PDB file of all heavy atoms in Angstrom:
ATOM      1  N   PRO W   3      63.501  41.090  72.523  1.00 91.00           N
ATOM      2  CA  PRO W   3      62.139  40.875  72.902  1.00 91.00           C
ATOM      3  C   PRO W   3      61.443  42.219  73.411  1.00 91.00           C
ATOM      4  O   PRO W   3      62.183  43.014  74.011  1.00 91.00           O
ATOM      5  CB  PRO W   3      62.120  39.892  74.063  1.00 91.00           C
ATOM      6  CG  PRO W   3      63.523  39.773  74.486  1.00 91.00           C
ATOM      7  CD  PRO W   3      64.364  40.354  73.415  1.00 91.00           C
ATOM      8  N   ARG W   4      60.207  42.404  73.099  1.00 89.00           N
ATOM      9  CA  ARG W   4      59.473  43.583  73.526  1.00 89.00           C
ATOM     10  C   ARG W   4      59.267  43.499  75.073  1.00 89.00           C
ATOM     11  O   ARG W   4      58.830  42.479  75.570  1.00 89.00           O
ATOM     12  CB  ARG W   4      58.173  43.650  72.755  1.00 89.00           C
ATOM     13  CG  ARG W   4      57.372  44.836  73.145  1.00 89.00           C
ATOM     14  CD  ARG W   4      56.166  44.940  72.126  1.00 89.00           C
ATOM     15  NE  ARG W   4      55.360  46.037  72.627  1.00 89.00           N
ATOM     16  CZ  ARG W   4      54.121  45.901  73.042  1.00 89.00           C
ATOM     17  NH1 ARG W   4      53.566  44.710  73.288  1.00 89.00           N
ATOM     18  NH2 ARG W   4      53.456  46.951  73.445  1.00 89.00           N
ATOM     19  N   PRO W   5      59.500  44.566  75.726  1.00 90.00           N
ATOM     20  CA  PRO W   5      59.171  44.547  77.173  1.00 90.00           C
ATOM     21  C   PRO W   5      57.688  44.355  77.491  1.00 90.00           C
ATOM     22  O   PRO W   5      56.852  44.917  76.699  1.00 90.00           O
ATOM     23  CB  PRO W   5      59.683  45.800  77.689  1.00 90.00           C
ATOM     24  CG  PRO W   5      59.874  46.726  76.544  1.00 90.00           C
ATOM     25  CD  PRO W   5      59.985  45.908  75.333  1.00 90.00           C
ATOM     26  N   ASP W   6      57.359  43.647  78.532  1.00 92.00           N
ATOM     27  CA  ASP W   6      55.992  43.478  78.901  1.00 92.00           C
ATOM     28  C   ASP W   6      55.472  44.611  79.673  1.00 92.00           C
ATOM     29  O   ASP W   6      55.773  44.875  80.777  1.00 92.00           O
ATOM     30  CB  ASP W   6      55.855  42.203  79.672  1.00 92.00           C
ATOM     31  CG  ASP W   6      54.375  41.848  80.083  1.00 92.00           C
ATOM     32  OD1 ASP W   6      53.519  42.643  79.616  1.00 92.00           O
ATOM     33  OD2 ASP W   6      54.131  40.875  80.721  1.00 92.00           O
ATOM     34  N   ASP W   7      54.608  45.438  78.963  1.00 92.00           N
ATOM     35  CA  ASP W   7      54.083  46.677  79.594  1.00 92.00           C
ATOM     36  C   ASP W   7      52.563  46.624  79.681  1.00 92.00           C
ATOM     37  O   ASP W   7      51.888  47.649  79.752  1.00 92.00           O
ATOM     38  CB  ASP W   7      54.592  47.910  78.996  1.00 92.00           C
ATOM     39  CG  ASP W   7      54.173  47.995  77.470  1.00 92.00           C
ATOM     40  OD1 ASP W   7      53.693  47.001  76.940  1.00 92.00           O
ATOM     41  OD2 ASP W   7      54.365  49.102  76.934  1.00 92.00           O
ATOM     42  N   PHE W   8      51.961  45.390  79.599  1.00 90.00           N
ATOM     43  CA  PHE W   8      50.521  45.253  79.479  1.00 90.00           C
ATOM     44  C   PHE W   8      49.820  45.811  80.728  1.00 90.00           C
ATOM     45  O   PHE W   8      48.841  46.495  80.642  1.00 90.00           O
ATOM     46  CB  PHE W   8      50.130  43.752  79.407  1.00 90.00           C
ATOM     47  CG  PHE W   8      48.703  43.568  79.431  1.00 90.00           C
ATOM     48  CD1 PHE W   8      47.890  43.901  78.234  1.00 90.00           C
ATOM     49  CD2 PHE W   8      48.054  42.996  80.522  1.00 90.00           C
ATOM     50  CE1 PHE W   8      46.475  43.651  78.315  1.00 90.00           C
ATOM     51  CE2 PHE W   8      46.724  42.830  80.574  1.00 90.00           C
ATOM     52  CZ  PHE W   8      45.932  43.208  79.425  1.00 90.00           C
ATOM     53  N   ALA W   9      50.398  45.638  81.928  1.00 89.00           N
ATOM     54  CA  ALA W   9      49.759  46.104  83.196  1.00 89.00           C
ATOM     55  C   ALA W   9      49.683  47.643  83.099  1.00 89.00           C
ATOM     56  O   ALA W   9      48.638  48.167  83.463  1.00 89.00           O
ATOM     57  CB  ALA W   9      50.625  45.652  84.388  1.00 89.00           C
ATOM     58  N   GLU W  10      50.721  48.287  82.570  1.00 91.00           N
ATOM     59  CA  GLU W  10      50.628  49.774  82.477  1.00 91.00           C
ATOM     60  C   GLU W  10      49.688  50.220  81.429  1.00 91.00           C
ATOM     61  O   GLU W  10      48.869  51.140  81.597  1.00 91.00           O
ATOM     62  CB  GLU W  10      52.082  50.288  82.172  1.00 91.00           C
ATOM     63  CG  GLU W  10      52.154  51.763  82.150  1.00 91.00           C
ATOM     64  CD  GLU W  10      51.915  52.470  83.462  1.00 91.00           C
ATOM     65  OE1 GLU W  10      52.198  51.880  84.545  1.00 91.00           O
ATOM     66  OE2 GLU W  10      51.357  53.562  83.433  1.00 91.00           O
ATOM     67  N   ARG W  11      49.748  49.624  80.221  1.00 91.00           N
ATOM     68  CA  ARG W  11      48.862  50.028  79.119  1.00 91.00           C
ATOM     69  C   ARG W  11      47.415  49.742  79.366  1.00 91.00           C
ATOM     70  O   ARG W  11      46.563  50.381  78.732  1.00 91.00           O
ATOM     71  CB  ARG W  11      49.361  49.387  77.833  1.00 91.00           C
ATOM     72  CG  ARG W  11      50.638  49.887  77.267  1.00 91.00           C
ATOM     73  CD  ARG W  11      51.043  49.342  75.921  1.00 91.00           C
ATOM     74  NE  ARG W  11      51.083  47.940  75.873  1.00 91.00           N
ATOM     75  CZ  ARG W  11      50.334  47.098  75.157  1.00 91.00           C
ATOM     76  NH1 ARG W  11      49.460  47.578  74.398  1.00 91.00           N
ATOM     77  NH2 ARG W  11      50.506  45.756  75.213  1.00 91.00           N
ATOM     78  N   SER W  12      47.047  48.775  80.195  1.00 92.00           N
ATOM     79  CA  SER W  12      45.706  48.370  80.396  1.00 92.00           C
ATOM     80  C   SER W  12      45.087  48.972  81.690  1.00 92.00           C
ATOM     81  O   SER W  12      43.960  48.610  81.984  1.00 92.00           O
ATOM     82  CB  SER W  12      45.640  46.860  80.528  1.00 92.00           C
ATOM     83  OG  SER W  12      46.283  46.354  81.674  1.00 92.00           O
ATOM     84  N   LYS W  13      45.736  49.915  82.318  1.00 92.00           N
ATOM     85  CA  LYS W  13      45.141  50.441  83.567  1.00 92.00           C
ATOM     86  C   LYS W  13      43.814  51.112  83.355  1.00 92.00           C
ATOM     87  O   LYS W  13      42.931  50.929  84.163  1.00 92.00           O
ATOM     88  CB  LYS W  13      46.168  51.507  84.065  1.00 92.00           C
ATOM     89  CG  LYS W  13      47.225  50.972  84.915  1.00 92.00           C
ATOM     90  CD  LYS W  13      48.102  52.105  85.544  1.00 92.00           C
ATOM     91  CE  LYS W  13      49.206  51.479  86.369  1.00 92.00           C
ATOM     92  NZ  LYS W  13      50.140  52.485  86.876  1.00 92.00           N
ATOM     93  N   HIS W  14      43.643  51.772  82.225  1.00 92.00           N
ATOM     94  CA  HIS W  14      42.298  52.455  81.950  1.00 92.00           C
ATOM     95  C   HIS W  14      41.215  51.454  81.759  1.00 92.00           C
ATOM     96  O   HIS W  14      40.072  51.802  81.803  1.00 92.00           O
ATOM     97  CB  HIS W  14      42.433  53.450  80.738  1.00 92.00           C
ATOM     98  CG  HIS W  14      42.713  52.737  79.476  1.00 92.00           C
ATOM     99  ND1 HIS W  14      43.884  52.199  79.119  1.00 92.00           N
ATOM    100  CD2 HIS W  14      41.916  52.531  78.325  1.00 92.00           C
ATOM    101  CE1 HIS W  14      43.875  51.653  77.861  1.00 92.00           C
ATOM    102  NE2 HIS W  14      42.691  51.848  77.382  1.00 92.00           N
ATOM    103  N   LEU W  15      41.579  50.172  81.532  1.00 93.00           N
ATOM    104  CA  LEU W  15      40.586  49.069  81.269  1.00 93.00           C
ATOM    105  C   LEU W  15      40.142  48.363  82.546  1.00 93.00           C
ATOM    106  O   LEU W  15      39.110  47.734  82.576  1.00 93.00           O
ATOM    107  CB  LEU W  15      41.056  48.163  80.206  1.00 93.00           C
ATOM    108  CG  LEU W  15      41.457  48.762  78.859  1.00 93.00           C
ATOM    109  CD1 LEU W  15      42.110  47.582  78.017  1.00 93.00           C
ATOM    110  CD2 LEU W  15      40.323  49.372  78.133  1.00 93.00           C
ATOM    111  N   GLN W  16      41.055  48.332  83.527  1.00 93.00           N
ATOM    112  CA  GLN W  16      40.935  47.393  84.631  1.00 93.00           C
ATOM    113  C   GLN W  16      39.676  47.664  85.490  1.00 93.00           C
ATOM    114  O   GLN W  16      39.152  46.680  86.096  1.00 93.00           O
ATOM    115  CB  GLN W  16      42.179  47.493  85.490  1.00 93.00           C
ATOM    116  CG  GLN W  16      43.411  46.961  84.804  1.00 93.00           C
ATOM    117  CD  GLN W  16      44.759  47.140  85.510  1.00 93.00           C
ATOM    118  OE1 GLN W  16      44.774  47.738  86.530  1.00 93.00           O
ATOM    119  NE2 GLN W  16      45.775  46.762  84.832  1.00 93.00           N
TER     120      GLN W  16
END
Side-chain angles (χ1 to χ4, degrees):
R4 180 172 176 249
D6 183 2
D7 60 351
F8 177 76
E10 183 64 33
R11 289 187 302 117
S12 65
K13 278 185 179 176
H14 66 288
L15 305 173
Q16 292 172 2

